[in-house]
Amino acid sequence: MIVSRQVRCLSRHKDSSNGENAAIIGGISSETESDELESFLKKFGTLNYLWMEEPNGNESRQAQVFFESPEQTLSRLLEHTNSKVRIGACTIMCCILSCAYEKEEPWKVHPYYNELSKDGVIFLLNNHCLQNGDNDLMKTEAAVMLSLLVRKQELDPKMRSDLIYQLKRKITNEKESKFNDEQAIILLQGLAFVESNISEIVQGNFIETLAQLSSQSDEQTSFRSLELLLLIASNGQTEILQNVKNAINDSLIFLDLIGDSNVIFDEMIIKIEMKWNSNIEQLDSI
């Protein structure tokens, strides 16, 4: 008997310390060899480690198995020689990681960041797909996924430059980019929480571009553009703060975000408006 029909999973959990999916298995026949069980378990995923109890007469045994996470398994394909395979792996990983993007609190550090950074997934995405991708689709997919993973993180200068460039392409009217203005702006917002990213974001008259988008008829794009301008003004240097004020030409415009935007912006809005408005009537309106 290779593997008993009574084999069953007694428990399954994710080990947050190393990113592995662990399972405890029971009902293993005393006749089952370790390599036979390993061959059987490989049907369910890539194994990192397998431990099985030693035989004790005819008693059934238990085993513990550690599977790689889907992201770890897919990340191996980012080094594949076929670019279509790499693009496919990148796309699937983007879908998986997007599921952990919390719509209610989108500005948290990504829950998988530490795990995927330690596993080398972020390095592979950056090196093989973003910086050295074979085509624009691969670079765009990598930019989307990396911007989700590294929001609110300090970035390597080269990665920062390439990542922000890809996200800004659609917004600056390069039509071949696949995602829309609102999506690109939201992704940039996650990066704009870090001061060291601001100077790269504002390059190429991007403040003026956002100011124009904030006055357009598309309500969501206008709204997101204002939020990004607020982040740039709050986290940038004094000169950048002044550039934002000059571009929007309305020192009270951020007040429109209060009550409709994320609550984390409210304190930023008050601080900015207090800096920009000094007369009594304006302060009363705030």
Side-chain angles (χ1 to χ4, degrees), residues 11 32 47 70 90 109 116 132 159-160 162-163 169 194 209 212 225 228 251 256 281:
S11 70
T32 301
L47 303 186
C90 193
V109 171
L116 296 182
N132 299 298
M159 178 180 177
R160 177 193 303 129
D162 291 349
L163 178 56
R169 291 185 64 191
V194 180
T209 299
Q212 293 173 7
S225 298
L228 182 51
S251 61
D256 294 339
E281 290 183 3

Side-chain angles (χ1 to χ4, degrees), residues 1-7 28-29 32 36-37 40:
M1 181 181 295
I2 296 179
V3 179
S4 169
R5 292 183 180 179
Q6 301 301 315
V7 168
I28 302 171
S29 167
T32 301
E36 294 171 335
L37 180 61
F40 172 74

Side-chain angles (χ1 to χ4, degrees), residues 178-232:
K178 63 169 284 187
F179 49 94
N180 63 37
D181 288 349
E182 183 189 355
Q183 290 172 313
I185 291 169
I186 290 173
L187 294 173
L188 282 168
Q189 286 178 0
L191 304 180
F193 276 90
V194 180
E195 181 180 348
S196 59
N197 294 334
I198 299 298
S199 60
E200 188 73 39
I201 292 174
V202 301
Q203 284 188 12
N205 298 317
F206 194 61
I207 290 175
E208 289 75 12
T209 299
L210 289 173
Q212 293 173 7
L213 288 172
S214 70
S215 61
Q216 288 187 359
S217 57
D218 185 292
E219 184 176 344
Q220 283 301 310
T221 299
S222 173
F223 187 76
R224 296 302 185 185
S225 298
L226 274 180
E227 288 182 332
L228 182 51
L229 282 169
L230 174 63
L231 285 166
I232 290 171

